[in-house]
Amino acid sequence: AIVEQGRKSVRNFALAIHILGFIILATSTIGIFSVMLVEVLNRTRDIGLRRALGTTKIGIRLFFIGQALCYSVIGSVFGTSIALAFYRPIGTFLSPLFDSAGFGVSEMAFTVPGAGPSGIAICAAVVFGALFGFFPALSASNTSIVECIREDAA
């Protein structure tokens, strides 16, 4: 009975960690979305000049999606590196708390997660960053050349 209660507690804790990770992922993608939207608004004249010089709508989209991908890759690699660096110290710090609650985690080895979970985290961040970077890129590519140039002149 006690072992089953301990397993249930560990499952609930794991679920809470997964929910927290999803919230962090959603927050970071919203941040990428807002940064890209500001980039598009600040580069209105550049977009108009590029379009006037012959850049296609797809070229404009690819430029801004590439920028969003760069932000996503840099942010996810940095975040994963920080998480891996602090994984063991935080586990060691929390171990006495779990032991005092009767979970007996001091016998557990706090090994650093392998490349699989880290790769999945980085890929998820890049995919979400690309998706949320697509909408500002679409907005930038659909702006007419005349609007871009007129907006700067006003």
Side-chain angles (χ1 to χ4, degrees), residues 75-116:
S76 63
V77 168
F78 181 73
T80 303
S81 300
I82 295 293
L84 292 176
F86 288 102
Y87 179 78
R88 188 170 296 170
I90 290 174
T92 304
F93 175 75
L94 293 178
S95 178
L97 298 175
F98 284 113
D99 283 339
S100 65
F103 292 119
V105 295
S106 60
E107 302 89 33
M108 295 174 60
F110 289 105
T111 58
V112 177

Side-chain angles (χ1 to χ4, degrees), residues 14-72:
L15 178 64
I17 294 296
H18 285 96
I19 290 172
L20 180 66
F22 181 76
I23 290 170
I24 291 170
L25 180 64
T27 305
S28 64
T29 54
I30 290 170
I32 288 174
F33 177 76
S34 64
V35 166
M36 293 307 300
L37 202 56
V38 168
E39 284 287 323
V40 167
L41 293 174
N42 286 339
R43 291 184 168 189
T44 305
R45 181 184 166 119
D46 294 343
I47 294 167
L49 288 175
R50 286 176 187 240
R51 292 283 312 279
L53 293 173
T55 304
T56 62
K57 288 183 177 186
I58 294 173
I60 298 291
R61 285 183 199 145
L62 289 176
F63 175 76
F64 283 105
I65 290 172
Q67 191 173 3
L69 284 173
C70 285
Y71 291 151
S72 297

Side-chain angles (χ1 to χ4, degrees), residues 40 47 51 57 60-61 64 134-144 148:
V40 167
I47 294 167
R51 292 283 312 279
K57 288 183 177 186
I60 298 291
R61 285 183 199 145
F64 283 105
F134 175 75
F135 297 109
L138 187 66
S139 170
S141 66
N142 288 333
T143 307
S144 74
C148 292

